[in-house]
Amino acid sequence: MKKLRALLPVLFGIVVLLSSCDKIEPPYYYMQFDEDVTVEFPPLDESKVYRKLYMEEFTGHRCVNCPAGHEVIEQLKNQYGDTLVVVGIHYGTLAKPQSSGLYTYDFRTAEGNTLGEYFNIDAIPSAIINRGYELGGWQRDEWANVLRNQSREVSAALQLINEYDPELQTVKANVKVTALKRSNVPYNLILFLIEDGVVKPQKNGTENIEDYVHNHVLRATFNQQPMGMQLNGGAVLEPGSSCVYASTLDMSNTDWVPGNCSVVAVLYDYELHEVLQAETLPVISR
């Protein structure tokens, strides 16, 4: 793979690739991408690899109907277990913080705004499933049926090893991608950081729940590419071949709780708008 050694500052107050320029408040974070992989991945047992489903839920803390969407997500996660990977994206007018009162916290991210714009999300709660393009996203009464109709054919495997440094408060995500079937296009890899157990206010109908627990909250994208970056120098991986990738995220200037955070790796076919595989692993082993 081509090496792109760089330390890039990402300023949340600058939103790129958007038609609007809403200010996103700190935290600021730093990432170093495309690093050497120094961990050893265990042998891959292809017979135990299954295709996981991937879901991006668009939500907002001032959205009165979003808690009902959160309940549907929990039901689906109970149904699918670890075969369903969810990233929660706070996006749109109802995700904007207020200058005073209960809703001053800013859950939004520049990458989440980019995705919301790309998928034309105009009402929440809504979701994009396996990155299959749906104008405005699917509504919550459609989620179960869309998931049910997703292909479970396995074409690739993802292995993920996280290295957390408690002194520096950095997490290095190491990923191994193994092709199990031939693909005619290069793979794109996306690395997200999400956090569970974020206790902040949430509207629910006419009620304001001050100690609401927000889960799978998108916090950052390791490689600053919410659509992914090409692996293997843009070359197609032959069946049985692998490539590895590593990226480090500095969490020290944030209010994120490392023990509540997980890395999400997504293997994406950008040309077909299809997620081929997804994997998630806690930042700190439990």
Side-chain angles (χ1 to χ4, degrees):
M1 288 185 291
K2 182 180 179 182
K3 292 295 179 183
L4 302 173
R5 296 183 178 278
L7 189 64
L8 297 184
V10 180
L11 178 60
F12 271 31
I14 300 174
V15 182
V16 295
L17 301 178
L18 302 180
S19 59
S20 58
C21 294
D22 298 327
K23 183 179 180 182
I24 296 180
E25 301 297 337
Y28 308 134
Y29 65 89
Y30 293 85
M31 58 202 167
Q32 182 173 332
F33 60 86
D34 215 3
E35 305 168 61
D36 290 326
V37 174
T38 56
V39 300
E40 183 174 346
F41 290 90
L44 179 68
D45 184 348
E46 294 184 15
S47 67
K48 295 182 179 179
V49 178
Y50 48 88
R51 185 177 184 178
K52 296 192 176 184
L53 303 172
Y54 176 65
M55 187 170 182
E56 286 159 321
E57 174 201 18
F58 292 88
T59 187
H61 60 173
R62 296 194 292 117
C63 166
V64 299
N65 295 314
C66 284
H70 301 160
E71 290 181 9
V72 174
I73 293 289
E74 290 307 309
Q75 292 168 6
L76 292 170
K77 290 180 72 175
N78 288 335
Q79 177 183 347
Y80 285 94
D82 69 351
T83 69
L84 177 61
V85 177
V86 180
V87 172
I89 300 169
H90 286 247
Y91 172 75
T93 302
L94 297 178
K96 291 181 181 179
Q98 297 177 323
S99 58
S100 61
L102 287 178
Y103 300 99
T104 58
Y105 191 79
D106 197 349
F107 283 98
R108 299 171 303 161
T109 64
E111 297 93 334
N113 281 356
T114 297
L115 290 170
E117 291 282 329
Y118 180 81
F119 289 111
N120 292 296
I121 302 299
D122 57 3
I124 55 174
S126 61
I128 296 295
I129 295 172
N130 274 351
R131 285 284 173 97
Y133 186 78
E134 171 68 11
L135 184 66
W138 283 282
Q139 303 306 301
R140 69 175 185 270
D141 59 350
E142 302 174 294
W143 297 347
N145 189 53
V146 174
L147 282 171
R148 191 179 304 115
N149 291 326
Q150 296 299 303
S151 170
R152 303 306 289 265
E153 181 180 1
V154 180
S155 58
L158 284 174
Q159 293 171 278
L160 185 59
I161 297 177
N162 295 327
E163 297 175 279
Y164 180 69
D165 187 323
E167 293 186 8
L168 297 177
Q169 295 183 43
T170 60
V171 57
K172 181 181 179 182
N174 302 273
V175 187
K176 183 178 181 180
V177 180
T178 302
L180 303 180
K181 292 188 177 181
R182 180 170 176 80
S183 173
N184 293 322
V185 297
Y187 291 131
N188 278 24
L189 179 68
I190 312 166
L191 288 175
F192 290 125
L193 185 80
I194 61 173
E195 183 177 6
D196 291 321
V198 182
V199 180
K200 296 291 180 183
Q202 170 72 52
K203 278 192 174 293
N204 185 9
T206 59
E207 184 182 6
N208 292 305
I209 305 177
E210 296 190 31
D211 56 353
Y212 192 87
V213 179
H214 299 263
N215 290 318
H216 47 264
V217 175
L218 174 62
R219 288 306 201 182
T221 305
F222 280 71
N223 43 26
Q224 205 180 11
Q225 299 289 338
M227 296 301 179
M229 60 182 301
Q230 285 189 345
L231 291 179
N232 200 34
V236 173
L237 283 176
E238 296 295 329
S241 62
S242 302
C243 66
V244 293
Y245 177 88
S247 180
T248 295
L249 189 68
D250 183 348
M251 305 166 63
S252 62
N253 292 320
T254 73
D255 62 351
W256 313 333
V257 179
N260 292 345
C261 292
S262 297
V263 175
V264 174
V266 180
L267 195 64
Y268 182 44
D269 181 337
Y270 184 74
E271 291 187 14
L272 295 179
H273 299 290
E274 180 183 20
V275 169
L276 303 173
Q277 190 60 277
E279 190 58 78
T280 186
L281 187 70
V283 165
I284 300 175
S285 300
R286 296 166 187 166

